[in-house]
Each structure stands twice: as structure tokens, then as C-alpha cells.
Amino acid sequence: MAKSYLVLEDGTVFEGEPFGYEAAAFGEVVFSTGMSGYQESLTDPSYEGQILVMTYPLVGNYGISDDYYRSDRVHTRGLVVREYCKEPSPMYGGRTLDDFLKRNKVPGISGIDTRDLVIKIRSVGTLRGAITGDKEGIENLIKELKRTPFPSESNLVGEVSVKCMEEHDFGKSVSIGLLDCGERNWMLRDLSERFNVTVFPYDTPADVIIGHKMRGVIVSNGPGDPSHPEIKRTVAKCAADLSATIPLFGIGLGSQIVGVALGGKTYKMKFGHRGSNQPVKYGRKVFITAQNHGFALEESSLSERDILADQINVNDGTVEGIRHKDLPIFTSQYRPEASPGPWDTSFLLDRFEKAAKEGRR
């Protein structure tokens, strides 16, 4: 039986069995704690540049569905599982995870002790890693991994954002802008029930958006570092320029970018939040949320800038959302329209709709 290897930059090697596309893969090794939603995760642009580890031990048991694409392709560079299901339930047509990865040219590795792997990541932080079938080349591969930059050191948003403006008329009375950092399909589906939506590339200047008479702007989720120089030069500057005139709602990476636009600072988390079960304290309630991020806003950098960190992660105390004291600007680090995941925080879209219609909170 063929063997495959997950190699980490610290020299750790996990042996397993290959599935999916036969190729090597390099990326940042991260884990997701969701019990379902593997297809949504694989096609989520926020995973651009990463090798995804699923903590749930059996993956692929309900197959692949046309209804569960987050975007038009797989964005992860590789997939690591304890066991993948070779004979999924026929409820969605019986298409296998193996075939799905092959069609998208993404390698997978199974038979890995994912519990041991996740304990390592939680202990030392995210690591650069590779999936390979070349056992003899592992020693040289470890050296190469140590020299390879983390994916977030490049402009990942530029790789996944739309390249030109897209206008979507859903017959609504209010039109908003979606500043696309790597999120379209699912967000458009939910926004279509409330707004006409114009999707703008991430590097669109503020005067272009203002010229299209948008009533509000959402800064979307996406991959990478919110303080990358190219992000600060483009989308963060745009958000700063819009902040005095148009209601803003930042989601995921967009939350961090809005924070940066308002003068805040970010930092890389040890292993991030990825999954559909992250608890967030908001007001007097705790909500279970779906998240995918490896960076966070530094709360101390916000205290003197008329910004409140009004949402906090229960597990580690990190910032999960901010709001401006006076302007109609607010954010959530999680996805209010979560899928997979709970819909408990969809009221944030109601709040943004109200702000867009009124021009104020």
C-alpha cells in the first residue's frame, strides 16, 4: 500500500495513506474543530495557503453536494484526516471526498493521529508543513520548510478577491457594497434577501464606492494578515476613508481590517480559531459562532480611539467584535450567516440593514 507523509518544520513526521490528488503540498498546518462542514471549509477562501487538519475523526461520510460550495474551487493546499469515508451516504448523490479532491487537484492524507497533531499545534503554534510521498527526500524537505515564508507573508487577499466590479440587482430598495477580501457566494446568498449588492475588488479606492452611492459597505472575510503592507495600502485605507460617511460592517478578516483602519493593531495568534463552535460573549449572552482566522485585534490598541471591544472570546479572551462609540461602524470576528454553524447572530445583519437605511445606528 502506498504511503504518504505529513512533514512539519520542526522535524516531526506523520505517516499515513494518500488519497485525493497525487501531488506534494506546502502550507501552514491549521486545524478546524467542526464536526461537519468539510466541503465548506475546503472551498472557503480564508483557507488559502493552508493545509487543513479536521479534528473530527471521520470525514466525508455525507459526500459532496452542489449546495455546499463556499466558492468555485478548493482553496486549501492539502487535507489531513484520521479517516476518510470511501462509501458516503447517498443522500447527496454519493460523490466521494476522494474524487472531489482529485478533481480540484488537492492532495489528502489519512490515517494520521490527528489528536496528537492538534495537541502539537496547540502547544507550539501553527507550523509550516508539507504532504509528500517521497520518503527519501524528507530530510531535505524539512530544511526547505524552515526557509519557506509563511503563506500570510504574501498578499493572499489579492489572490482570492474579484478582479473587477460585479453588480447584483436583487430588486431591493437599498444598495450596499461588498468589499471583497475573499468572500462572495455564501455572503451574496444572504445579502440578496435584504439588499442590492455591488461587489468591489479589495483594492477599490473609496471615491469609487462613494461614486456608486452605496448606503453601506461590508468588508468581507478572507485569508492572510490584516496588517500586510498591501492590505493597509488598499482595503484598510479605503475603510478609513469611508468611515466618516458610510456605515461599515467588518466580518472575519474584515473585522481586523476595520480595526486597523481606525488605528488599531493586530497580532498573529498561536493557533487561531477555526470551526463552528467558538463561544463569544456579547452583552449578557454567550453565542456559539463559526470562525476561521489566525490573527486578532490587540484590545489595548483600541482604548484611546473611540472604539469599544464589545465582544470577547470566552475561551481565550481575544477580541471578537468592535464598535465605534459615535459612528455606524461595527464588526464581528465570526460569521453572522454561519453555514455550517449556528445562525444565532444573524441579528447583526439586521443591525447593518437598519444602519444602511438610516445612515446611523
Side-chain angles (χ1 to χ4, degrees):
M1 181 178 291
K3 294 295 182 181
S4 186
Y5 305 90
L6 174 66
V7 182
L8 303 180
E9 64 176 280
D10 68 352
T12 303
V13 179
F14 292 87
E15 180 180 293
E17 300 173 5
F19 72 105
Y21 191 67
E22 294 184 15
F26 295 81
E28 182 181 27
V29 182
V30 301
F31 65 88
S32 172
T33 56
M35 294 178 65
S36 62
Y38 50 84
Q39 184 180 344
E40 291 93 331
S41 294
L42 289 167
T43 57
D44 185 346
S46 296
Y47 281 110
E48 185 75 26
Q50 298 177 328
I51 294 174
L52 175 61
V53 181
M54 301 299 297
T55 61
Y56 193 69
L58 181 62
V59 180
N61 52 313
Y62 53 86
I64 298 296
S65 169
D66 290 338
D67 294 331
Y68 295 155
Y69 282 89
R70 269 262 170 82
S71 65
D72 58 2
R73 67 178 176 90
V74 171
H75 289 271
T76 59
R77 293 183 179 175
L79 178 65
V80 180
V81 301
R82 178 68 184 89
E83 179 183 356
Y84 83 93
C85 182
K86 299 178 181 179
E87 297 182 2
S89 164
M91 65 186 298
Y92 296 122
R95 287 179 290 171
T96 66
L97 179 59
D98 180 48
D99 288 339
F100 180 66
L101 293 182
K102 285 177 178 174
R103 285 190 286 110
N104 285 275
K105 298 184 177 181
V106 174
I109 180 170
S110 68
I112 297 294
D113 185 345
T114 50
R115 178 175 291 184
D116 186 35
L117 174 57
V118 169
I119 289 173
K120 171 175 279 293
I121 295 172
R122 287 180 60 91
S123 298
V124 304
T126 55
L127 296 162
R128 290 163 290 193
I131 296 173
T132 181
D134 179 14
K135 186 176 182 180
E136 302 302 318
I138 288 177
E139 185 175 340
N140 288 332
L141 182 58
I142 293 171
K143 295 177 182 178
E144 185 177 350
L145 284 170
K146 292 178 179 179
R147 297 192 298 266
T148 302
F150 275 92
S152 59
E153 293 181 37
S154 63
N155 179 15
L156 295 176
V157 169
E159 297 179 23
V160 298
S161 177
V162 294
K163 306 307 178 188
C164 57
M165 187 179 69
E166 301 175 357
E167 295 185 87
H168 301 272
D169 187 346
F170 298 114
K172 306 302 181 182
S173 60
V174 175
S175 296
I176 66 159
L178 177 63
L179 201 50
D180 178 36
C181 298
E183 186 64 59
R184 292 185 301 281
N185 293 7
W186 283 78
M187 179 63 73
L188 273 178
R189 180 201 64 181
D190 289 281
L191 295 180
S192 67
E193 300 177 1
R194 306 165 183 267
F195 311 105
N196 301 318
V197 182
T198 299
V199 182
F200 295 95
Y202 80 101
D203 55 357
T204 303
D207 58 347
V208 173
I209 296 175
I210 293 171
H212 279 78
K213 301 185 182 341
M214 298 291 100
R215 298 289 298 275
V217 171
I218 291 177
V219 185
S220 85
N221 198 15
D225 183 351
S227 294
H228 188 281
E230 189 65 15
I231 298 304
K232 294 177 78 171
R233 185 185 71 82
T234 56
V235 61
K237 183 180 185 304
C238 176
D241 292 343
L242 293 173
S243 62
T245 58
I246 296 178
L248 294 178
F249 181 19
I251 298 175
L253 179 73
S255 175
Q256 300 156 21
I257 290 174
V258 170
V260 170
L262 297 176
K265 297 180 180 179
T266 62
Y267 63 94
K268 186 171 183 178
M269 303 170 73
K270 189 174 183 179
F271 49 82
H273 298 154
R274 297 175 179 89
S276 53
N277 49 10
Q278 289 289 329
V280 173
K281 187 175 187 298
Y282 188 5
R284 302 181 66 178
K285 295 183 178 181
V286 173
F287 298 94
I288 303 302
T289 68
Q291 302 187 21
N292 176 13
H293 65 104
F295 290 82
L297 281 166
E298 185 178 298
E299 185 173 3
S300 61
S301 70
L302 306 171
S303 58
E304 297 181 2
R305 301 183 181 276
D306 294 324
I307 305 168
L308 297 175
D310 60 349
Q311 303 181 59
I312 301 296
N313 188 283
V314 175
N315 290 335
D316 60 14
T318 54
V319 175
E320 291 283 4
I322 62 174
R323 66 176 176 86
H324 196 281
K325 293 179 181 178
D326 302 311
L327 301 174
I329 300 172
F330 58 95
T331 75
S332 67
Q333 188 58 70
Y334 49 87
R335 306 176 61 92
E337 86 303 355
S339 188
W343 297 349
D344 300 19
T345 55
S346 60
F347 64 84
L348 290 174
L349 291 175
D350 297 332
R351 180 179 175 186
F352 177 68
E353 181 178 12
K354 184 175 186 291
K357 288 180 177 179
E358 298 180 353
R360 60 183 186 280
R361 247 195 301 264

